[in-house]
Amino acid sequence: MDIQLLRSQIEKIDTLPTIPSILKKLLGVIENPKISLNEIGTFISNDPVLTSRVLKVVNSPIYGFPGRISSVNQALILLGLNVVKGMLLGVSVFEAMQKTMVGLWEHSLGCAVAARIIAKKKDLKEPEEVSVAALLHDIGKVVLGLKFSEEYKKIISDAETKSVFIFDAEKNFFSINHADAGAWIAQKWNFPRSLIEVIEYHHKPHLSKNVTMHTAIVHISDILIRAKGFGFAGDNFVPVINNTAWQMLNLSESDIKDILDEMEDSLSQAEDFLLSDD
């Protein structure tokens, strides 16, 4: 398929009947670059299910505020508009992620947990922004899975039977992979340039120009979570860590031990979060 035609079809995903109703409503909100905190707060508060999911996620191990956030407005003030917009998208594609690939939501949550821990270890000012980028890094798999459901099932099957990485199987079929598709849809939805860049280059962090540290953290978090076997990202293999990203993080043996120890505790809590009822 022609690349421009493919991009055009992917960017129209919000017209699909399979898109959850809450995601359709949300897209109308996040596509507006002038949306305010008050308007976001009103949007969330008018939907009890979304309010419940938002409070559950902000109090989960992903963000490191367990049990401390009791209102939507408090979440908005603490996390900021961009993080909340990303989180809203994350909770809204929850069901779509589960339908696209069993274990993808768990993988994404695990990656978000690991990214927050590493971002704090590197003293980044806003670790929540890195965490939400990690939560959404595979959004392209959801987009491709929804838009081309039968073809994507074949891609998942091909990756398994031919023992290739899923991004290679995607490339063989579409001439693009989920990182490209994710970046396209993130642009369409007016996400910040930093978030788009992490999604686009999470498999090629050496190509990131403006958010090199964020992209390196999400890249390594993705691989650590795959190696831990937490969730499923579509591959039966663990990719090699990109050398540029590894050198950029410059983690000592002590740092790595601290990160793995904290990951162990947080992922255990994340499993409880995943198993609990809404």
Side-chain angles (χ1 to χ4, degrees), residues 3-6 10 20 40 68-69 79 86 91 97-98 106 114 132 143 149 181 197-198 238 242 270:
I3 295 290
Q4 288 306 317
L5 178 60
L6 179 63
I10 286 173
I40 288 268
R68 290 168 48 196
I69 299 180
L79 296 174
V91 298
M97 271 196 176
Q98 288 187 315
E106 290 83 351
V132 82
V143 170
S149 58
E197 192 165 318
V198 174
V238 178
N242 179 278

Side-chain angles (χ1 to χ4, degrees), residues 37-239:
L37 275 177
N38 281 338
E39 288 167 307
I40 288 268
T42 301
F43 171 78
I44 299 171
S45 301
N46 285 339
D47 189 311
V49 174
L50 191 57
T51 299
S52 165
R53 285 188 179 178
V54 165
L55 291 179
K56 186 178 175 185
V57 171
V58 296
N59 285 298
S60 77
I62 300 173
Y63 295 105
F65 306 116
R68 290 168 48 196
I69 299 180
S70 57
S71 73
V72 169
N73 284 340
Q74 193 182 359
L76 286 165
I77 292 168
L78 268 173
L79 296 174
L81 187 57
N82 286 335
V83 170
V84 170
K85 282 165 72 175
M87 179 185 63
L88 281 170
L89 186 59
V91 298
S92 300
V93 299
F94 168 73
E95 290 177 10
M97 271 196 176
Q98 288 187 315
K99 288 176 184 172
T100 302
M101 191 182 293
V102 174
L104 182 59
W105 175 240
E106 290 83 351
H107 167 75
S108 302
L109 284 177
C111 193
V113 168
R116 179 183 60 80
I117 293 168
I118 297 173
K120 287 177 69 179
K121 174 63 74 178
K122 298 307 297 181
D123 290 328
L124 265 62
K125 288 182 180 176
E126 296 177 327
E128 295 81 14
E129 287 198 2
V130 188
S131 187
V132 82
L135 185 68
L136 295 175
H137 75 286
D138 274 342
I139 189 77
K141 290 177 182 170
V142 181
V143 170
L144 290 173
L146 287 173
K147 187 70 188 178
F148 306 100
S149 58
E150 291 307 312
E151 293 88 342
Y152 207 68
K153 286 176 188 170
K154 184 175 184 310
I155 286 169
I156 294 171
S157 174
D158 277 359
E160 183 176 356
T161 56
K162 295 178 181 175
S163 298
V164 296
F165 285 112
I166 195 160
F167 51 74
D168 288 328
E170 293 164 345
K171 190 96 175 176
N172 291 339
F173 194 92
F174 290 116
S175 300
I176 58 135
N177 61 32
H178 65 269
D180 302 308
W184 289 347
I185 203 69
Q187 283 179 37
K188 171 71 167 46
W189 292 342
N190 286 316
F191 270 87
R193 181 60 224 171
S194 57
L195 178 53
I196 297 168
E197 192 165 318
V198 174
I199 291 171
E200 185 169 13
Y201 296 126
H202 69 272
H203 286 300
K204 298 177 179 176
H206 55 288
L207 298 180
S208 174
K209 302 294 183 192
N210 303 301
V211 280
T212 51
M213 182 61 82
H214 289 203
T215 310
I217 289 173
V218 172
H219 169 77
I220 288 179
S221 299
D222 181 20
I223 292 174
L224 281 178
I225 289 300
R226 288 164 181 257
K228 287 283 294 179
F230 193 87
F232 182 64
D235 300 305
N236 292 317
F237 319 98
V238 178

Side-chain angles (χ1 to χ4, degrees), residues 122 205 211-214 216 243-251:
K122 298 307 297 181
V211 280
T212 51
M213 182 61 82
H214 289 203
N243 192 45
T244 301
W246 183 246
Q247 288 185 359
M248 178 170 293
L249 260 59
N250 191 29
L251 297 168

